[in-house]
Amino acid sequence: MRVTQRYWLAVAAATLAAACGGSGPALPAADQIAIAGDFPLSGADAAYGSRLSDAARSAVAATPTIGRYRVVFVPNDDALAGFSDDGLKAEQNARRMAADPRVLGLVGPLSSVVALQVVPAASSAGLAEVSPSTTADCLTGYSPACPGLYSQPNPSTFFRLAAPDSSQGPAMADFAMGELHLTRFAVLTDGFHHDDNLARAFAARVQALGGQLVLQEFYSSNSHDFTELLSHAAAAQAEAIYVGGEFGGGACRIRAQMAGILPETTYFLGSDSIGTPGCITDAHALANGRMISTAGTAHPNLSDPRAIAYLKTHSRATALAPYTMAAYDAALVELEAIQRGVAANHGRKPSREEVVAAIASSQGVHGITGTWSFDSRGDATAPGMSFYRVENGEWTLWRWGSYSSTSGLTLA
């Protein structure tokens, strides 16, 4: 997910999350290896974050030991004071995990805004971090889009599986024009840097494909009345609204207010930042199949034995929800690197630096949502692209494939 705008809204005391690793007597820390998670487990995104955290936990549970070490999962909640994510809370979590000698990897966070503060904290401790869902382009290299995040390019401990924003915007343009046969678009953005970049990337691709941008406007994330803006879109005969924003900043309230202003056939398009349960709630009666979001992940292989085991205790809808199985794979990447580290050390626990190096050198780690290797920036070399629409009150995986800046969108 991209950078959101809520992280500065609340600062309060953090609560500790308990580690869980099954029943039985506790082992000394020296005999344990821990994978930590960092997701919103309370607040507006609790359902979303809890799915990802539980998927990562399931991957760890499937690998209960590595050599002589017991492997445990340590969940952390980065929600604070009712908000769905909070960078300061997440940074505190990361520093606490860095102080725990058992922890050799961190899975998460959910959103890019949290990564802005978690990545420096984890990197300073040499702690490997694999995110299933952060998409802001600048997270994997120096850019003024993330001021102060890095003092130099290519941070060495952060990796991600999700396709970045620079792919999600153009992929939606390809899908809207090639599959939905739309040609006239109104593009709205809340003006925050990453949201604006996403909207610009969508708009540029539309123009490159010969589509028409009939309206390009900013909206205030604090507004509750979008009728004037939508009236302009209607007057311009927009066939779809593409919003560069997220549900917590009002994006899906825009969808609700389209009723009676734009035709019922008008689509509402966006990135993974609208693909949340909260967006469906905000859209009210217009939460339907003409609401479509991207997710920078591939369709999970549900015939994989690990997926079959997961489905014994989880629903198919949960497994297919955005980034759920990618969180499983993020933990899997870390576990595979730790296994190689233990083997290389003749049975001894690897250092954090050795785990980071092992992830960076990963070649073809077979996960449920893809085969994972990473480039020098920490980006997955072959991320997927999925399209979700609202069906029966839930975001439902609809189409999937991949996106390349050279060949465009390829659907499976």
Side-chain angles (χ1 to χ4, degrees):
M1 298 182 84
R2 294 171 297 104
V3 172
T4 65
Q5 59 262 40
R6 302 189 300 280
Y7 71 97
W8 59 83
L9 298 178
V11 177
T15 57
L16 296 177
C20 70
S23 59
L27 295 176
D31 295 326
Q32 296 183 38
I33 289 174
I35 299 293
D38 192 80
F39 296 101
L41 305 181
S42 59
D45 274 347
Y48 198 166
S50 295
R51 284 199 303 262
L52 273 62
S53 182
D54 187 60
R57 182 202 306 269
S58 296
V60 172
T63 308
T65 60
I66 295 177
R68 68 178 182 88
Y69 301 100
R70 180 184 175 195
V71 184
V72 299
F73 182 72
V74 184
N76 290 274
D77 184 5
D78 63 30
L80 186 63
F83 294 98
S84 61
D85 50 40
D86 183 88
L88 296 177
K89 173 71 177 296
E91 180 182 0
Q92 186 180 55
N93 291 341
R95 294 193 185 282
R96 189 172 69 255
M97 293 302 97
D100 185 339
R102 301 174 303 160
V103 178
L104 295 184
L106 179 65
V107 177
L110 172 66
S111 67
S112 297
V113 63
V114 171
L116 291 175
Q117 290 179 258
V118 173
V119 171
S123 294
S124 65
L127 181 60
E129 185 179 3
V130 181
S131 172
S133 53
T134 53
T135 62
D137 288 83
C138 63
L139 288 171
T140 51
Y142 177 78
S143 167
C146 290
L149 180 60
Y150 310 124
S151 59
Q152 57 185 4
N154 302 332
S156 60
T157 72
F158 178 75
F159 306 85
R160 64 169 162 202
L161 307 187
D165 292 343
S166 56
S167 295
Q168 286 201 50
M172 181 60 89
D174 282 17
F175 187 79
M177 296 189 68
E179 300 298 315
L180 303 178
H181 308 294
L182 305 174
T183 60
R184 298 174 66 83
F185 301 90
V187 179
L188 309 179
T189 174
D190 58 18
F192 285 86
H193 189 95
H194 300 281
D195 298 335
D196 197 33
N197 279 354
L198 186 76
R200 288 175 184 273
F202 172 84
R205 183 65 173 170
V206 164
Q207 290 181 308
L209 295 173
Q212 298 181 61
L213 300 175
V214 299
L215 182 71
Q216 288 183 278
E217 293 284 353
F218 292 98
Y219 69 90
S220 170
S221 60
N222 296 319
S223 177
H224 290 268
D225 185 357
F226 304 102
T227 55
E228 182 178 0
L229 195 61
L230 292 171
S231 295
H232 292 163
Q237 298 181 318
E239 298 171 325
I241 302 289
Y242 184 87
V243 59
E246 46 88 28
F247 91 92
C252 301
R253 296 196 298 270
I254 295 174
R255 173 59 175 172
Q257 292 180 31
M258 288 168 61
I261 299 176
L262 285 147
E264 292 182 1
T265 55
T266 307
Y267 283 85
F268 184 77
L269 313 175
S271 74
D272 52 8
S273 285
I274 69 166
T276 67
C279 183
I280 293 174
T281 300
D282 283 356
H284 299 303
L286 287 191
N288 57 36
R290 291 183 185 270
M291 281 179 63
I292 302 172
S293 71
T294 52
T297 186
H299 185 290
N301 176 12
L302 297 184
S303 64
D304 186 295
R306 295 162 297 188
I308 292 172
Y310 181 86
L311 288 171
K312 290 180 179 179
T313 54
H314 300 81
S315 70
R316 180 183 177 90
T318 297
L320 293 176
Y323 300 115
T324 298
M325 290 288 90
Y328 188 108
D329 281 0
L332 192 70
V333 166
E334 294 184 350
L335 290 165
E336 194 272 347
I338 293 168
Q339 288 173 325
R340 284 191 284 128
V342 169
N345 284 343
H346 306 288
R348 295 189 302 276
K349 185 185 296 187
S351 67
R352 288 174 174 172
E353 290 76 14
E354 289 170 329
V355 172
V356 170
I359 295 174
S361 65
S362 295
Q363 293 295 322
V365 177
H366 292 284
I368 295 174
T369 61
T371 300
W372 301 109
S373 304
F374 301 92
D375 63 21
S376 61
R377 293 164 56 94
D379 281 314
T381 56
M385 188 68 64
S386 296
F387 297 86
Y388 286 76
R389 64 180 177 183
V390 177
E391 296 178 0
N392 300 318
E394 293 185 350
W395 286 105
T396 303
L397 183 59
W398 182 26
R399 302 291 302 276
W400 57 89
S402 60
Y403 180 83
S404 162
S405 60
T406 56
S407 59
L409 178 67
T410 301
L411 293 174

